[in-house]
Amino acid sequence: MADDNYFFCRRKAVSLFIFILFLTSCSLTAFAQDINNLYLEKVQEEGLSNNYVYCIQQDADGFIWFGTGEGLFRFDGYGYKAFRNIPGDTTTLAHNSIEFLYPDGRKLWIATKGNLSCIDIDSQKILNFLPKGLHVLSIAPRDSSSFWLAAAGGLFQFDKRVAKLTRVPGLPESMVIGSITDDTNGHLYLTSPNGFYCFTVATGVFKHYDPPIARFPDFDKNRSGNFYRSVLDGRGNLWLGTWGSGLVRFNIKTEKIDVWSHPTNDVHLLPYKIVSALLPDASGDIWLANKEGGLTIFNPAKNKFINYPVDWRSENKISGSVVALFRDRSGIVWIGTENGVFKSDPHHANLSKTDVLLKTDSGFVPSHISPLSMLKEKNGLWWMGMYEGIFVYDQKKSTLIDYNKVLGLPESYPVFNIVRDNDGAIWLTSRNLLVKVSGEDGRNPASVKAEIYTSPDIKSTITALYTDKENRMWIGTHSDGVFRFDPAQKKFISYHFTQRNIFNKLKEIDAFRELSKDSLLIGGYTTGLLLMHIGSGTIEKIQRKGYDNAISINSIYRNIKNIWLGTESNGLWRTDVQFKPPIIETVNDGLPSMNVGSIMPGRQNDLWLLSNSGLVNFGLSGKKITVFDKKDGLHDLNQLYAMIMDDGGNIFIGGRGCVYNFNPLHIIKNIQPPKVLITDLKIFDKAYNVRKGEAIKLSYNQNYFTLGYVALNYTQSAFNRYAYKMDGLDNKWIDAGSNRSVSYANLDEGTYTFKVRACNNEGVWNNVPAKLVLIIVPPFWHRWWFYTLFILLIVCSIYFIYWYNMNQLKMRVQLRNKIARDLHDDIGSTLSGINIFTKIALQKLRRNEAGSTELLEKISDRSERTMDALSDIVWSISTKNDLIDNFLVKAREYLAETLESQGIRYDMHIAEDISHLKLGMELTKEFYLIFKEAICNASKYAQCTLVEICLTKEKDLFSLTIRDNGKGFDINKIAPGNGLQNMQHRAQKMNATLEIVSRLGEGTSIILTFHTPRIR
């Protein structure tokens, strides 16, 4: 019985599909309007190096990811970032062919061909887990630490903590599992080429379903159903897409199965039999990816399919086999095909287009004419004025009927105006004719009558027709000025410009608007804004600050507060009844064109404008501008001349051979504030990764950098706007417009917080900006410890200078005292002796006593010694004599003077590396005097014939040895005299060691050893 019910349901479904196929094979006209109601936009291709998109996902931040045959691509609404396999680099993807994407918190798992990879969203680092060879086809969550894997090899569990893969027993190892669907009640539904399974997690039991569904083409009817993908709706139904058998519905409670399939072997007939992806929506509809069959939406409640077929040559429709479907968190449906990505945006206003058929003698033919004016009747008929005359449009039949003959009007007279007066009568203009139309039903030409009025003063085309609140009818002409028509008296009243100049004759008049009961605003080609005083019949030109006297005005609209002017090439003007300087909206403010034709009030505190670049919605409160153009289904934008709004708020726009319509109230507003992210940091054009929540430290010489940011709003991303602020530098938010980066240079060291926020295409701003802390590290000379060391260095330097100066002063005082002491000791005592000897010698000379000659010799000797001592002091003080070289010169002079005169030979042995040494003033003096004393003693007392002098240096130890071959003496027996005592005293002052070695008959050796000072 169950089988009978199954086949009954299937036969019913097949019958339904035969009917659908019949309509499809005829002309697909039944689906034409539905197809056009869903606008499919081609997503940017530049940057997506491979157009075959296998899978689509959205991560935790909101980026959209596309898995392709040549890598993984991240999309932000503006461009792509690619992640690919690089052979030999284990930090890249394991394989470039992406089969499935699974978002998991701050990670994205990637099933590649033969492996499993994971990318960290923050660091963008990639890890690879499985050994090559396991072909993963789908992933589903299990718990916080693991997930399920469907693969060519069965069902697996993967433990994320330890990267452990475990096969679930119960299925053949050769089984291919295509997808996993969790019913959240402990059951997993698995699709396979051999039917589908229900796996009970608690018991580990698999239940197999293999319904005998038909396969087409029918060359392999006995093969099991190839179930490809599955999805659960909100009503307990499991929808399964098959490869070759259409769409299957399985009720998980009753296990009832329904099938919608193709009873044909013709694979070119749509809808197609392959369902490669399924996507339920909130209304209960099921979206189907039908491969070459395109995109299909199935409404189960109405049992109705709407097909969006593949058009391989179209840019505005799906142009590749559909293989993947995904709905993001904003409601946008992303469609992956073999020829790139398309999207269906619920916030997108797609205008419905109705093609118009023109009735001719030979039948109905497509119309190619555009309405100049339109008026809709309540019975579904429209009056349309064309360049070719007046026509009646039947909205129900989408047909157009020529009414020029019916109304008795000449053919090919342009009809620029159709209005209804306050009494309900219809008036139109046909070239220079004014026509009143009356009749009970426009569908019956015989019941329609026309009254035609002319004036000898109106020879040019009537370009404007307007009825004010007082039911006065105003007429604007191409070159004959302004007129008012009085229906009661059936006569025309002419008005002229009052200023007497060459422009006193008004040219083309295109617009009227009542300002008050007694005043009327007028505009036209190069007229500027004119004001008519109706009572006096005078017309004046508004000549105020900011007004162009020759501006061309296409339309005028007035609300309670403001007057709006649509101009020919000067944008949209706004002023008030006092004619204050106008505020002008231009292309810089978002208008698509500077030419604004018609102005019509909306129902949401807005205005609707027609331009030669599309339809414009202008919000009066926030000056929000929304443009509707080709992306919204409008074509031949320069052929849009007329629009009207009916009582239901529907807007109708006359196009070339068609009528567009939509209801603005039905547009789903994009009220979700966009999430904004700081994506990258470039320092001198080198890119660095920015991790969420982490502060960035930059050195003082990295203070020129660029920050990139993005708002993840995919509805008209080009209209996203940004504002940023650098705390610590900027005092207020800076409007960045659509720019997505900002550069900073020469920032002082310190801590800064960069903030950026964004608004979407509707002007909705996010309240939580993205933040990035930047720390400019100061150079070491700007650190506290450097300042401390620097201050200490300054203090120490000051102290050192003070100490040095005081030490120098002390040394100078000591030097002066020493010189004074030396002069006193050496020269003073000698001079005292000379003075005594001189007095004694004088006394003896006066008494002619003997011995005066001896005293004079002593005086001479002491005077000579005084001169020598003074010369030694002066020599030792001179800085140039600090060098050993100068000492040697002085020493040789003394040796020659002292020893050679007595016939004593001497030898000097000087080491080669000591001539450059400097001893300093004090050391040089004491050293020389010790040397001189030793030579003097040898010459006077040693009775020698040879004196040897040896100067050596080992490291910093300096040694002077003076040896003679004289008679010598016994150190222990001789009483120390002044000479030896002076030498010991001087050696102590030098911190030197003085050793005297002497034996009787063996000569005497004097050895002086001291450390050489470090003098520069």
Side-chain angles (χ1 to χ4, degrees):
M1 189 69 181
D3 289 340
D4 292 339
N5 289 335
Y6 164 72
F7 283 107
F8 172 76
C9 294
R10 188 169 69 85
R11 283 194 297 271
K12 183 179 178 182
V14 167
S15 299
L16 173 65
F17 259 75
I18 292 174
F19 175 70
I20 294 174
L21 290 173
F22 171 76
L23 295 178
T24 305
S25 61
C26 293
S27 64
L28 290 176
T29 321
F31 297 109
Q33 292 185 7
D34 293 331
I35 290 174
N36 288 329
N37 284 338
L38 184 63
Y39 178 74
L40 299 175
E41 178 185 355
K42 184 72 176 284
V43 178
Q44 173 184 328
E45 290 185 288
E46 184 179 356
L48 188 66
S49 59
N50 184 270
N51 283 341
Y52 200 128
V53 179
Y54 290 98
C55 49
I56 308 170
Q57 261 297 346
Q58 186 174 29
D59 65 21
D61 283 334
F63 290 103
I64 302 296
W65 296 78
F66 301 123
T68 75
E70 293 185 7
L72 181 65
F73 294 84
R74 190 189 74 179
F75 183 59
D76 61 7
Y78 300 91
Y80 299 89
K81 183 173 184 179
F83 299 84
R84 295 187 178 91
N85 168 261
I86 300 176
D89 188 348
T90 58
T91 64
T92 63
L93 290 176
H95 199 281
N96 279 330
S97 182
I98 312 299
E99 300 284 348
F100 194 84
L101 298 173
Y102 171 64
D104 183 21
R106 304 299 301 171
K107 291 180 171 56
L108 181 70
W109 294 87
I110 306 142
T112 66
K113 194 172 184 178
N115 212 309
L116 180 67
S117 301
C118 180
I119 183 169
D120 186 287
I121 295 174
D122 295 320
S123 65
Q124 298 181 17
K125 293 182 179 179
I126 296 175
L127 296 176
N128 298 309
F129 289 91
L130 300 182
K132 290 185 177 180
L134 184 64
H135 193 171
V136 179
L137 298 173
S138 183
I139 305 173
R142 183 177 184 272
D143 53 37
S144 60
S145 60
S146 63
F147 50 72
W148 303 99
L149 287 180
L155 178 66
F156 297 83
Q157 296 180 38
F158 183 77
D159 192 325
K160 296 181 288 185
R161 298 168 297 182
V162 294
K164 181 181 179 182
L165 185 70
T166 305
R167 181 189 299 274
V168 178
L171 292 176
E173 292 187 3
S174 60
M175 177 64 67
V176 176
I177 303 298
S179 67
I180 308 173
T181 302
D182 189 347
D183 70 354
T184 68
N185 289 318
H187 301 94
L188 300 179
Y189 291 90
L190 315 174
T191 59
S192 78
N194 301 309
F196 63 98
Y197 294 82
C198 176
F199 173 65
T200 304
V201 178
T203 62
V205 174
F206 291 90
K207 185 176 181 180
H208 183 219
Y209 297 89
D210 189 13
I213 59 177
R215 288 177 55 84
F216 296 95
D218 58 3
F219 57 83
D220 192 9
K221 288 187 176 181
N222 296 324
R223 185 179 175 184
S224 298
N226 188 344
F227 290 87
Y228 194 65
R229 295 289 182 188
S230 64
V231 68
L232 271 170
D233 63 14
R235 297 171 176 82
N237 295 309
L238 181 71
W239 295 87
L240 300 110
T242 69
W243 194 280
S245 300
L247 177 65
V248 175
R249 179 174 64 188
F250 173 76
N251 189 288
I252 60 177
K253 292 182 180 180
T254 65
E255 297 191 351
K256 179 183 176 183
I257 295 177
D258 297 303
V259 182
W260 290 266
S261 186
H262 249 312
T264 177
N265 292 325
D266 187 354
V267 297
H268 301 290
L269 204 58
L270 301 177
Y272 202 56
K273 63 188 184 303
I274 297 175
V275 179
S276 59
L278 306 96
L279 182 69
D281 62 21
S283 62
D285 296 335
I286 307 297
W287 295 52
L288 309 174
N290 278 342
K291 292 287 284 183
E292 286 85 354
L295 173 68
T296 301
I297 299 178
F298 176 57
N299 185 327
K302 297 180 180 180
N303 208 19
K304 179 182 179 181
F305 288 85
I306 301 173
N307 186 241
Y308 297 82
V310 175
D311 187 341
W312 303 99
R313 294 170 294 181
S314 173
E315 295 183 359
N316 301 317
K317 297 180 181 180
I318 296 175
S319 55
S321 298
V322 180
V323 293
L325 298 172
F326 175 75
R327 180 179 288 105
D328 68 16
R329 290 189 285 274
S330 69
I332 297 175
V333 175
W334 300 81
I335 304 163
T337 75
E338 295 180 1
N339 188 32
V341 182
F342 294 79
K343 69 176 181 178
S344 173
D345 191 341
H347 311 109
H348 188 96
N350 187 40
L351 280 68
S352 176
K353 177 186 175 184
T354 303
D355 291 324
V356 175
L357 297 176
L358 178 63
K359 184 178 180 180
T360 65
D361 294 338
S362 59
F364 289 96
V365 297
S367 171
H368 298 289
I369 53 181
S370 300
L372 303 174
S373 56
M374 297 189 302
L375 180 68
K376 186 179 180 184
E377 297 274 26
K378 293 182 179 180
N379 59 4
L381 292 183
W382 297 41
W383 294 93
M384 289 188 176
M386 316 277 190
Y387 276 111
E388 293 78 6
I390 185 68
F391 294 79
V392 170
Y393 171 65
D394 190 329
Q395 185 177 354
K396 294 180 180 180
K397 297 180 179 179
S398 300
T399 57
L400 197 66
I401 303 174
D402 188 339
Y403 259 55
N404 288 297
K405 291 183 179 180
V406 174
L407 299 180
L409 300 177
E411 292 185 0
S412 300
Y413 268 30
V415 176
F416 288 104
N417 309 280
I418 308 174
V419 300
R420 191 189 303 275
D421 66 17
N422 298 343
D423 298 327
I426 297 175
W427 296 81
L428 59 89
T429 63
S430 177
R431 199 170 181 181
N432 62 337
L433 307 177
L434 178 62
V435 182
K436 181 180 180 181
V437 180
S438 60
E440 296 180 358
D441 188 356
R443 287 188 174 88
N444 183 9
S447 66
V448 178
K449 297 180 181 180
E451 298 177 38
I452 301 175
Y453 302 96
T454 61
S455 170
D457 295 328
I458 302 178
K459 297 180 177 62
S460 60
T461 300
I462 298 176
T463 52
L465 184 64
Y466 175 73
T467 303
D468 63 19
K469 293 179 181 180
E470 286 70 33
N471 210 25
R472 292 173 296 204
M473 187 168 294
W474 299 94
I475 298 171
T477 66
H478 182 271
S479 57
D480 296 318
V482 176
F483 294 82
R484 179 169 64 86
F485 179 72
D486 187 340
Q489 300 183 13
K490 299 181 180 181
K491 73 172 186 176
F492 295 84
I493 303 169
S494 178
Y495 295 83
H496 299 282
F497 196 20
T498 58
Q499 293 186 9
R500 295 173 178 254
N501 53 39
I502 58 174
F503 301 107
N504 64 346
K505 186 175 181 180
L506 290 176
K507 295 185 179 180
E508 180 179 330
I509 302 300
D510 295 314
F512 295 101
R513 184 63 58 175
E514 185 177 4
L515 187 61
S516 68
K517 183 177 180 180
D518 297 320
S519 57
L520 184 72
L521 293 174
I522 303 173
Y525 179 71
T526 68
T527 61
L529 182 60
L530 306 174
L531 176 64
M532 172 185 281
H533 302 280
I534 299 176
S536 62
T538 59
I539 301 175
E540 64 170 308
K541 181 172 289 190
I542 303 300
Q543 295 179 323
R544 308 281 179 89
K545 181 180 180 181
Y547 287 85
D548 185 350
N549 291 334
I551 188 174
S552 295
I553 298 175
N554 296 325
S555 56
I556 305 173
Y557 171 73
R558 181 200 170 194
N559 57 14
I560 298 175
K561 295 181 179 180
N562 298 306
I563 297 169
W564 301 85
L565 308 177
T567 71
E568 180 71 24
S569 57
N570 291 274
L572 178 66
W573 288 35
R574 185 187 71 183
T575 183
D576 58 14
V577 294
Q578 304 298 326
F579 303 111
K580 292 181 179 179
I583 298 173
I584 304 175
E585 306 291 336
T586 68
V587 291
N588 296 329
D589 302 299
L591 289 180
S593 169
M594 294 294 285
N595 186 348
V596 178
S598 302
I599 303 177
M600 181 177 70
R603 295 191 174 186
Q604 296 175 298
N605 193 28
D606 55 359
L607 298 177
W608 292 91
L609 318 173
L610 267 186
S611 76
N612 56 10
S613 296
L615 177 67
V616 179
N617 178 252
F618 184 85
L620 297 179
S621 56
K623 295 173 61 176
K624 171 71 173 60
I625 294 176
T626 305
V627 179
F628 300 85
D629 49 24
K630 287 185 177 180
K631 69 180 184 304
D632 305 288
L634 286 175
H635 302 282
D636 295 320
L637 301 180
N638 59 347
Q639 298 288 321
L640 306 178
Y641 303 116
M643 64 176 172
I644 59 173
M645 179 183 291
D646 67 10
D647 296 337
N650 298 294
I651 294 178
F652 297 87
I653 304 166
R656 185 175 181 179
C658 63
V659 175
Y660 302 96
N661 78 283
F662 75 107
N663 193 321
L665 298 176
H666 295 166
I667 298 175
I668 301 174
K669 294 291 185 180
N670 185 13
I671 61 174
Q672 182 68 31
K675 185 174 183 179
V676 61
L677 296 173
I678 300 170
T679 55
D680 57 84
L681 168 67
K682 288 185 179 179
I683 303 174
F684 298 111
D685 293 330
K686 183 178 180 181
Y688 294 83
N689 187 34
V690 177
R691 299 192 64 171
K692 190 175 182 180
E694 289 188 358
I696 302 293
K697 283 190 176 182
L698 303 175
S699 65
Y700 70 94
N701 57 357
Q702 290 180 312
N703 59 357
Y704 179 82
F705 55 86
T706 300
L707 292 166
Y709 43 82
V710 66
L712 297 180
N713 166 56
Y714 301 102
T715 299
Q716 295 182 322
S717 300
F719 291 97
N720 294 342
R721 294 293 180 268
Y722 302 88
Y724 63 84
K725 180 184 179 185
M726 181 74 84
D727 284 349
L729 182 66
D730 300 323
N731 296 322
K732 61 181 181 179
W733 287 92
I734 298 173
D735 185 4
S738 59
N739 292 326
R740 293 185 292 113
S741 64
V742 59
S743 298
Y744 289 92
N746 301 322
L747 288 185
D748 295 331
E749 63 266 15
T751 300
Y752 301 87
T753 301
F754 178 75
K755 299 178 182 178
V756 60
R757 56 195 186 103
C759 73
N760 62 15
N761 61 302
E762 297 284 353
V764 180
W765 288 87
N766 63 341
N767 296 321
V768 182
K771 298 180 182 180
L772 178 65
V773 176
L774 294 160
I775 302 173
I776 307 296
V777 179
F780 71 88
W781 58 83
H782 285 184
R783 306 287 186 89
W784 66 268
W785 54 264
F786 181 83
Y787 288 129
T788 303
L789 291 178
F790 185 70
I791 293 172
L792 288 175
L793 179 62
I794 292 176
V795 172
C796 292
S797 299
I798 293 172
Y799 175 76
F800 175 77
I801 293 172
Y802 171 77
W803 173 84
Y804 179 79
N805 289 335
M806 294 302 296
N807 193 52
Q808 290 296 314
L809 178 62
K810 182 179 179 181
M811 290 176 63
R812 285 196 295 271
V813 171
Q814 290 176 349
L815 178 60
R816 291 177 63 185
N817 292 337
K818 185 176 184 306
I819 294 173
R821 187 167 54 252
D822 289 344
L823 291 175
H824 178 271
D825 294 344
D826 294 342
I827 299 175
S829 59
T830 303
L831 291 178
S832 297
I834 292 173
N835 184 43
I836 293 172
F837 290 148
T838 302
K839 289 181 179 179
I840 294 173
L842 288 173
Q843 290 176 1
K844 288 185 177 185
L845 287 173
R846 292 190 186 102
R847 295 194 297 266
N848 292 322
E849 296 181 5
S852 59
T853 302
E854 183 181 352
L855 290 172
L856 291 174
E857 289 178 354
K858 289 182 178 181
I859 292 170
S860 174
D861 179 60
R862 294 208 174 188
S863 298
E864 187 175 351
R865 286 167 54 193
T866 300
M867 292 174 60
D868 289 343
L870 186 60
S871 175
D872 291 342
I873 291 172
V874 172
W875 180 85
S876 64
I877 291 174
S878 177
T879 56
K880 69 179 182 179
N881 296 321
D882 290 348
L883 286 171
I884 290 294
D885 264 350
N886 293 333
F887 164 79
L888 295 175
V889 172
K890 181 73 172 174
R892 286 189 176 94
E893 289 179 356
Y894 183 73
L895 289 171
E897 188 179 304
T898 305
L899 298 181
E900 288 181 3
S901 62
Q902 300 183 35
I904 300 173
R905 293 183 297 107
Y906 64 88
D907 288 332
M908 294 187 71
H909 303 282
I910 311 299
E912 294 181 355
D913 59 343
I914 66 172
S915 60
H916 65 284
L917 292 177
K918 296 180 73 174
L919 299 180
M921 181 189 73
E922 188 64 27
L923 203 59
T924 300
K925 175 176 176 273
E926 303 300 342
F927 181 61
Y928 176 70
L929 292 178
I930 290 173
F931 169 81
K932 186 177 178 181
E933 186 70 31
I935 297 300
C936 180
N937 288 341
S939 66
K940 285 186 178 182
Y941 309 114
Q943 299 177 7
C944 62
T945 60
L946 176 65
V947 175
E948 292 180 308
I949 301 98
C950 184
L951 283 172
T952 61
K953 178 178 176 293
E954 185 174 354
K955 295 185 179 179
D956 65 338
L957 196 64
F958 192 86
S959 179
L960 169 65
T961 302
I962 300 175
R963 184 181 298 111
D964 64 56
N965 61 354
K967 61 181 182 178
F969 60 92
D970 189 345
I971 298 281
N972 297 322
K973 294 183 179 180
I974 189 170
N978 290 333
L980 293 179
Q981 289 181 352
N982 286 340
M983 291 171 66
Q984 288 289 356
H985 178 66
R986 295 185 188 281
Q988 291 176 3
K989 293 169 66 175
M990 294 173 61
N991 292 322
T993 300
L994 181 67
E995 183 181 3
I996 301 176
V997 180
S998 183
R999 291 186 180 90
L1000 291 173
E1002 294 184 5
T1004 303
S1005 295
I1006 298 174
I1007 305 168
L1008 178 68
T1009 305
F1010 60 92
H1011 291 277
T1012 57
R1014 294 182 179 179
I1015 300 176
R1016 292 184 179 180

